[in-house]
């Protein structure tokens, strides 16, 4: 059943609470497995820097703009770069969690679709993190960039990358900051019907500028994340149907199939009395 056909009573009570707890545990378990898996790539510092040099050279061969172009724009003011660092540190996970909670409560079918897409995307990213450790551009001397998080704050990483036990700083490719932000935007566009829903794409756009400008990711990190997300969207079937604009959830449930109820017609007995319209009997019908 989709979010438009599920009876209201079926979404409350002990069963609904158990489903909610199960979903929370599942999402937290997936996140824990991902965080643990990333730590398996530690201790490969030399390989990570060799890969960073390869990615940097590949971007120059492809004539991509230097990441320093975005960073120089951020460094025009301390407030601007501090805002970018805060966006990188504080928006990524809370925005994704709020997005999933909203889908779970309002668009269950889209929630299942999104959760599966994010699981495929994150699993594929973990494989690449393990197979291709990569130092971010803030660590690469050839990039001539600064670590804005350490200099201006706030930062989510330790000052000594090799000794950081909270995060693997050599897992730059792909950028899940960008991949998750792009899925959030696409998910909201698919699950809503507002004429302004395309504005959700501003979130991944700002995220892209932030992750590049703070020197935490290369352009190619976002490109790879986009390709992985495209593959995940191709593999996971999308929910059937779209939300209807201008109609409440209760109104859509009131009539099976979403068809409008027959309009009442005035009764012959007097003003103010209505009776339902009688169906027209086909000519020649046998009684």
């Amino acid at each position: 059943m989709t979010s438009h056909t599920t009876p209201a009573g079926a979404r409350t009570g002990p069963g609904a609470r158990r489903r909610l707890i199960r979903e929370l545990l599942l999402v937290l378990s997936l996140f824990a497995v991902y965080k643990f898996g990333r730590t398996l790539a530690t201790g490969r510092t030399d390989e990570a820097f060799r890969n960073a040099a390869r990615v940097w050279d590949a971007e120059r061969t492809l004539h991509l703009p230097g990441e320093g172009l975005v960073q120089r724009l951020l460094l025009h003011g301390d407030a601007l770069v501090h805002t970018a660092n805060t966006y990188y540190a504080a928006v990524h996970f809370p925005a994704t969690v709020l997005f999933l909670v909203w889908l779970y409560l309002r668009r269950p079918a889209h929630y299942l679709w999104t959760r599966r897409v994010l699981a495929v995307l994150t699993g594929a990213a973990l494989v690449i993190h393990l197979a291709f450790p990569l130092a971010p551009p803030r660590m690469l001397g050839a990039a001539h960039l600064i670590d804005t998080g350490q200099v201006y704050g706030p930062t989510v990483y330790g000052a000594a990358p090799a000794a950081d036990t909270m995060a693997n700083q050599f897992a730059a490719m792909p950028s899940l900051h960008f991949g998750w932000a792009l899925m959030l935007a696409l998910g909201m566009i698919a699950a809503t019907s507002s004429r302004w829903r395309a504005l959700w794409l501003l979130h991944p756009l700002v995220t892209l500028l932030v992750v590049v400008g703070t020197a935490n990711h290369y352009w190619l990190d976002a490109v790879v994340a986009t390709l992985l997300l495209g593959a995940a969207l191709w593999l996971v079937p999308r929910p059937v149907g779209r939300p209807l604009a201008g109609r409440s959830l209760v109104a859509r449930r009131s009539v099976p199939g979403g068809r409008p109820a027959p309009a009442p017609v005035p009764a012959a007995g007097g003003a103010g009395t209505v009776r339902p319209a009688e169906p027209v009997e086909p000519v020649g019908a046998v009684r």
Side-chain angles (χ1 to χ4, degrees):
M1 303 179 80
T2 67
S3 60
H4 309 311
T5 59
T6 304
R11 301 176 65 184
T12 59
R17 286 193 291 270
R18 285 194 296 269
R19 287 193 295 273
L20 176 59
I21 293 173
R22 181 190 64 193
E23 289 297 329
L24 288 174
L25 291 176
L26 177 60
V27 172
L28 290 175
S29 298
L30 289 174
F31 175 70
V33 170
Y34 170 71
K35 291 292 287 185
F36 173 75
R38 280 170 59 105
T39 62
L40 299 178
T42 57
R44 302 164 65 184
T45 304
D46 293 341
E47 184 180 358
F49 278 100
R50 287 195 298 270
N51 289 335
R54 295 188 184 103
V55 169
W56 182 260
D57 291 342
E59 287 189 342
R60 307 293 75 79
T61 301
L62 295 172
H63 300 290
L64 294 178
E67 286 78 0
L69 175 64
V70 182
Q71 185 170 95
R72 285 192 293 273
L73 294 176
L74 294 182
L75 294 177
H76 276 300
D78 290 357
L80 185 59
V81 68
H82 182 80
T83 300
N85 289 332
T86 303
Y87 196 95
Y88 181 87
V91 174
H92 176 50
F93 287 112
T96 305
V97 170
L98 289 175
F99 166 57
L100 290 173
V101 169
W102 186 87
L103 287 180
Y104 180 84
L105 296 174
R106 302 296 299 273
R107 302 289 190 272
H110 286 81
Y111 165 79
L112 291 174
W113 170 62
T114 302
R115 188 195 68 189
R116 291 164 182 164
V117 170
L118 287 176
V120 173
L121 169 62
T122 306
L126 178 58
V127 172
I128 295 179
H129 290 162
L130 296 175
F132 191 77
L134 179 66
R138 56 188 165 82
M139 299 182 190
L140 186 64
H144 301 292
L145 300 174
I146 66 172
D147 187 340
T148 61
Q150 294 293 337
V151 175
Y152 296 91
T155 181
V156 295
Y157 301 121
D164 192 347
T165 59
M166 299 299 296
N168 176 17
Q169 298 192 41
F170 300 107
M173 180 179 287
S175 170
L176 283 182
H177 267 74
F178 179 74
W180 287 13
L182 183 57
M183 184 58 210
L184 187 157
L186 296 179
M188 290 301 296
I189 290 173
T192 59
S193 56
S194 168
R195 69 177 63 183
W196 305 105
R197 62 186 183 275
L199 292 177
W200 284 104
L201 291 172
L202 290 175
H203 176 48
L205 176 60
V206 172
T207 300
L208 175 61
L209 295 177
V210 164
V211 300
V212 171
T214 57
N216 284 296
H217 287 284
Y218 304 90
W219 295 111
L220 286 180
D221 297 340
V223 172
V224 173
T226 303
L227 294 176
L228 292 178
L229 178 59
L233 291 171
W234 180 74
L235 289 171
V236 179
R238 181 177 169 177
V240 179
R242 287 184 54 84
L244 301 178
R247 298 178 63 188
S248 67
L249 191 60
V250 174
R252 288 195 295 270
R253 289 184 184 135
S254 60
V255 180
R259 294 171 298 177
V265 297
T273 305
V274 296
R275 58 181 175 83
E278 296 181 356
V280 179
E281 185 177 8
V283 178
V286 179
R287 294 183 178 275

